Amino acid sequence: MSRFYLMPGTMSLAAVQPERYEEQLAQKASMVRNDFSHFPMPELELFRSKPEHYRMRAEFHVWHEGDHCYYCMFNPDTKQRFEVTEFPSGSKTINRLMMPLMEAIIASDHMKRRLFQVEFLTTQTEEALVSLIYHRQLNEEWQQEAYALQEKFGIKLIGRARKQKLVLDQDFVTEALTVNSETFRYTQVENSFTQPNAGINEQMLTWASTISREITAQQPGDLLELYCGNGNFTCVLAKHFDKVLATEIAKTSVNSARKNFGLNQIENVQIARLSSEEFTQAMNKEREFRRLSEIDLDSYQFSTILVDPPRAGLDEGTEKLVQRFDNILYISCNPETLKQNLSTICQSHTIEKTALFDQFPYTHHAEMGVHLKRK
């Protein structure tokens, strides 16, 4: 039986077919092996997602027909609009909340009037943050009814409109991720990036942690992490290294990372709000940055670099930077740019391990991990 779910980065629908999960994973793995066949690569490790209820975030458009409104998505091929009453790829918390919440919204003019989008952010610990987004300014009456909904459903609620953000209680949830039997806690802030598939995230962290432990058992040293986000990898890997220097350009993510270091009692990490291009300039001593004034780059004995870039991959300068390191851990959300980067990096490094993390089942999207070692 086919059901539908949100395709990554869209409000379109794709089929969810749990009975065909292994088949689709095998096809994806075959595609990746073929795409990377010209590289000398070890056997690809496969990390499976749950066949359903794996996605911790969701965005739904709201369609209005008279006094009625409902969640909707669109078929990516026909552009046909669908009313959505269940979300099989979404967490059980999303599915438990979505329809009762919509019924409560429909019953209130203040809550439904000019509402055009609903966003859910949930955790494995069953916390939920819901953002209601409007084409009108929100007033005190809206706030009063929103407080009642928040209490009724045991959620955190935020109202958004043009140049307006009303946070009733807090704008984050706290996730718990288990890595090698150890639990790590993360503040995840509304409207900022977090890994959507929590189960796969745990497997990515375990994979990277295991490799880091093996690296530092042979060669103690420090870790440089570019694109650290909210400290997702940093918190887990920090214990394997003497010191860690992490960089991230988004101010919201930097603030979240610092909170997460505190939550997990991580004390050997410094974070700098720099882009990868800026950090490369700093490492090359081409430019000084005030944001690095309290960090002594020369005090680090880097042995390993972790990069988790956006879909555009590594720029040319960052490619040259990572080639200075004995060990490279590359987490990629785009195999095409990964291939481009590997064409350069493999001039100086050999591929030791490769992994496919099925972050987005039933789509062509492939999240990959590669460990490279200097020749």
Side-chain angles (χ1 to χ4, degrees):
M1 175 182 175
S2 295
R3 293 181 288 169
F4 293 93
Y5 88 112
L6 187 67
M7 293 182 69
T10 74
M11 284 190 182
S12 299
L13 294 173
V16 170
Q17 299 172 306
E19 70 280 3
R20 297 188 62 187
Y21 176 74
E22 291 298 329
E23 177 186 347
Q24 73 87 30
L25 180 60
Q27 291 173 349
K28 190 177 296 188
S30 177
M31 177 188 70
V32 168
R33 291 188 186 101
N34 289 336
D35 284 348
F36 287 82
S37 60
H38 59 291
F39 292 102
M41 293 178 66
E43 178 59 29
L44 183 70
E45 296 180 73
L46 297 182
F47 291 90
R48 290 165 170 78
S49 174
K50 295 178 183 177
E52 55 187 340
H53 301 310
Y54 49 83
R55 188 178 174 89
M56 311 310 291
R57 303 197 312 252
E59 299 178 3
F60 300 103
H61 190 79
V62 177
W63 197 264
H64 293 258
E65 292 181 354
D67 292 333
H68 182 67
C69 57
Y70 55 87
Y71 305 113
C72 75
M73 294 181 186
F74 298 87
N75 184 297
D77 299 319
T78 66
K79 309 304 180 185
Q80 180 182 359
R81 184 177 69 252
F82 285 88
E83 179 177 358
V84 179
T85 58
E86 62 172 355
F87 187 50
S89 68
S91 68
K92 291 182 178 179
T93 302
I94 293 174
N95 282 274
R96 172 175 58 82
L97 288 171
M98 56 186 294
M99 293 310 296
L101 180 62
M102 178 55 73
E103 291 171 5
I105 289 171
I106 292 171
S108 166
D109 182 64
H110 286 299
M111 301 308 296
K112 72 182 177 185
R113 183 162 58 88
R114 304 200 71 182
L115 173 68
F116 75 92
Q117 188 164 312
V118 179
E119 300 177 356
F120 292 86
L121 174 61
T122 64
T123 69
Q124 295 186 124
T125 55
E126 299 186 358
E127 289 188 26
L129 175 65
V130 180
S131 299
L132 304 179
I133 306 174
Y134 292 82
H135 283 311
R136 66 178 178 90
Q137 294 297 292
L138 305 177
N139 56 22
E140 186 175 342
E141 288 80 6
W142 180 90
Q143 280 189 275
Q144 290 176 352
E145 295 202 20
Y147 273 115
L149 283 188
Q150 179 173 265
E151 183 174 354
K152 177 180 179 180
F153 292 104
I155 60 177
K156 307 303 180 185
L157 202 58
I158 292 175
R160 284 186 173 274
R162 181 179 173 83
K163 297 183 179 180
Q164 186 182 30
K165 178 181 177 181
L166 296 180
V167 180
L168 301 190
D169 188 1
Q170 63 188 47
D171 65 351
F172 65 91
V173 292
T174 303
E175 179 63 286
L177 300 173
T178 301
V179 180
N180 291 324
S181 302
E182 185 175 358
T183 299
F184 295 85
R185 298 173 64 220
Y186 294 88
T187 296
Q188 298 185 340
V189 180
E190 183 255 4
N191 214 29
S192 64
F193 177 78
T194 55
Q195 296 288 346
N197 188 326
I200 285 293
N201 190 22
E202 288 178 326
Q203 295 183 71
M204 287 197 300
L205 294 173
T206 300
W207 180 83
S209 178
T210 301
I211 293 173
S212 296
R213 185 174 62 244
E214 293 170 354
I215 290 170
T216 53
Q218 301 177 15
Q219 182 184 6
D222 301 330
L223 171 69
L224 173 63
E225 181 183 358
L226 305 184
Y227 321 94
C228 78
N230 71 346
N232 183 54
F233 284 94
T234 326
C235 291
V236 173
L237 302 190
K239 69 177 182 179
H240 299 304
F241 295 90
D242 297 332
K243 295 190 296 183
V244 178
L245 177 58
T247 72
E248 170 58 46
I249 190 61
K251 186 179 292 187
T252 300
S253 294
V254 169
N255 292 337
S256 292
R258 288 185 173 132
K259 290 180 181 178
N260 293 333
F261 300 154
L263 277 176
N264 295 285
Q265 300 178 326
I266 306 297
E267 298 179 347
N268 63 335
V269 176
Q270 287 184 291
I271 186 168
R273 193 168 69 83
L274 295 171
S275 68
S276 61
E277 293 86 352
E278 290 172 330
F279 186 79
T280 298
Q281 292 174 339
M283 284 285 284
N284 293 338
K285 300 189 184 301
E286 298 170 354
R287 181 180 168 191
E288 293 186 358
F289 293 88
R290 187 183 307 170
R291 286 164 285 170
L292 279 174
S293 60
E294 297 181 0
I295 296 175
D296 180 8
L297 289 179
D298 294 331
S299 71
Y300 285 87
Q301 301 296 318
F302 292 121
S303 61
T304 304
I305 185 169
L306 168 68
V307 292
D308 184 6
R311 292 188 60 79
L314 304 178
D315 62 274
E316 183 177 349
T318 308
E319 281 183 340
K320 293 178 180 177
L321 173 67
V322 302
Q323 287 181 286
R324 302 181 193 178
F325 292 77
D326 291 338
N327 288 278
I328 303 167
L329 287 173
Y330 191 138
I331 307 297
S332 172
C333 62
N334 186 350
E336 289 303 313
T337 53
L338 173 62
K339 283 192 295 184
Q340 295 169 17
N341 292 150
L342 289 181
S343 295
T344 299
I345 297 171
C346 285
Q347 296 171 15
S348 56
H349 288 68
T350 58
I351 298 174
E352 297 291 307
K353 293 185 179 181
T354 60
L356 169 60
F357 305 103
D358 198 16
Q359 181 88 248
F360 299 105
Y362 315 109
T363 77
H364 67 279
H365 291 269
E367 192 101 357
M368 293 186 64
V370 181
H371 171 213
L372 299 105
K373 191 171 184 178
R374 190 192 299 274
K375 293 179 179 178

